Amino acid sequence: MARPSKPTTQDTLDSLSAARLREFLTDELAEDAKMRERFVKRFGEPGAAKPSFRSKLDSAFAGMSRQDSYFGPDFGEFLEAAGERAGAGGRDEAIRMYQDICESIYDHMDDVDDSDGIYGDAAGEALVEMVACVNRGKPDHAPKRPYIRYLYRGYMGDEYGFDRHYERALMDLCTRQEDREYLGELHENRERPDRHAHTDLVRFIKSGIRPQDDRQWR
């Protein structure tokens, strides 16, 4: 008896409902900045906010010498723009804008002088506001999962001292026990068991208790 053939990609697409496909895309786009950029370029309207916002962020670094970078671009205007978008009801777009702020800063860290921490602090503020946007909708656990993965990936992959900002954002986001359990699964299955093995985040995963003194975040 012939074995049934495996379904092709086209077969799978044909069998999916629009709702399930949208759910998959939402999860994947939340985690992958390059995929978001390709998606918007392909399907977005000309002059859509996402690419122009990111390009404005990147252009703020253009032509800046390392000495000039000590004072940094004015990230306040970008944070304000994202906040205004959130206030106007564009929660998902605002979340992407906050992600763009953090990612643009991170991508330029090799070119700047962050001895005063202005870049890290701006990235941290963007992450805090991003999480506030997510939590403002009081979502159940499932809609939070892609954002938990996004933040955890940043936490584990950080090379510039942003991990404390990702750590705080994860604690702000994981308001339910099932959020912490999922975060615990990610941490348990991390590729580098030696990395972040004994941290405030590990204690938070186990107990739900955060650092008492907010100065620890500064």
Side-chain angles (χ1 to χ4, degrees):
M1 182 176 179
R3 298 176 63 182
S5 59
K6 293 182 179 180
T8 65
T9 301
Q10 189 61 52
D11 292 336
T12 304
L13 282 172
D14 290 342
S15 68
L16 281 177
S17 67
R20 290 190 65 194
L21 183 58
R22 180 184 178 86
E23 180 183 359
F24 172 79
L25 280 172
T26 299
D27 286 355
E28 294 300 312
L29 292 172
E31 289 194 70
D32 193 323
K34 291 183 178 179
M35 183 184 290
R36 288 200 306 273
E37 187 174 354
R38 293 198 305 271
F39 181 82
V40 174
K41 283 182 178 179
R42 177 71 180 271
F43 299 107
E45 294 294 331
K50 170 67 173 65
S52 64
F53 186 74
R54 176 60 194 255
S55 65
K56 286 180 181 178
L57 279 160
D58 290 337
S59 67
F61 292 90
M64 182 187 296
S65 69
R66 193 171 182 84
Q67 183 176 359
D68 292 338
S69 74
Y70 180 79
F71 301 99
D74 180 10
F75 294 111
E77 65 176 285
F78 297 110
L79 291 163
E80 183 178 350
E84 289 175 353
R85 190 71 194 99
R91 186 180 70 97
D92 290 343
E93 185 178 343
I95 289 171
R96 291 193 295 270
M97 292 167 77
Y98 286 124
Q99 289 174 328
D100 279 346
I101 293 170
C102 186
E103 291 166 11
S104 180
I105 293 172
Y106 191 89
D107 287 347
H108 290 89
M109 285 300 291
D110 283 339
D111 305 319
V112 302
D113 177 357
D114 195 32
S115 53
D116 268 5
I118 58 173
Y119 294 93
D121 288 347
E125 185 174 353
L127 290 175
V128 167
E129 293 300 330
M130 175 201 130
V131 169
C133 277
V134 176
N135 284 339
R136 200 167 291 133
K138 298 182 179 178
D140 294 330
H141 169 66
K144 286 186 177 182
R145 288 171 74 97
Y147 300 111
I148 295 173
R149 290 196 300 270
Y150 172 83
L151 291 172
Y152 184 76
R153 185 172 62 182
Y155 173 70
M156 291 302 296
D158 172 64
E159 297 178 355
Y160 299 107
F162 286 19
D163 52 346
R164 63 194 177 95
H165 298 300
Y166 282 106
E167 185 176 64
R168 178 179 185 174
L170 281 164
M171 292 185 189
D172 286 347
L173 181 59
C174 294
T175 58
R176 300 166 177 261
Q177 181 175 343
E178 54 195 329
D179 300 336
R180 295 201 315 273
E181 289 174 352
Y182 178 60
L183 177 58
E185 291 175 16
L186 295 176
H187 197 63
E188 183 70 23
N189 296 311
R190 64 194 185 279
E191 292 183 2
R192 293 177 53 186
D194 60 318
R195 185 166 172 78
H196 296 311
H198 305 286
T199 63
D200 286 331
L201 187 65
V202 173
R203 289 185 283 275
F204 171 77
I205 291 170
K206 293 179 178 178
S207 66
I209 298 175
R210 301 175 55 134
Q212 294 299 309
D213 189 346
D214 190 59
R215 286 175 298 178
Q216 293 185 41
W217 299 114
R218 301 183 185 279

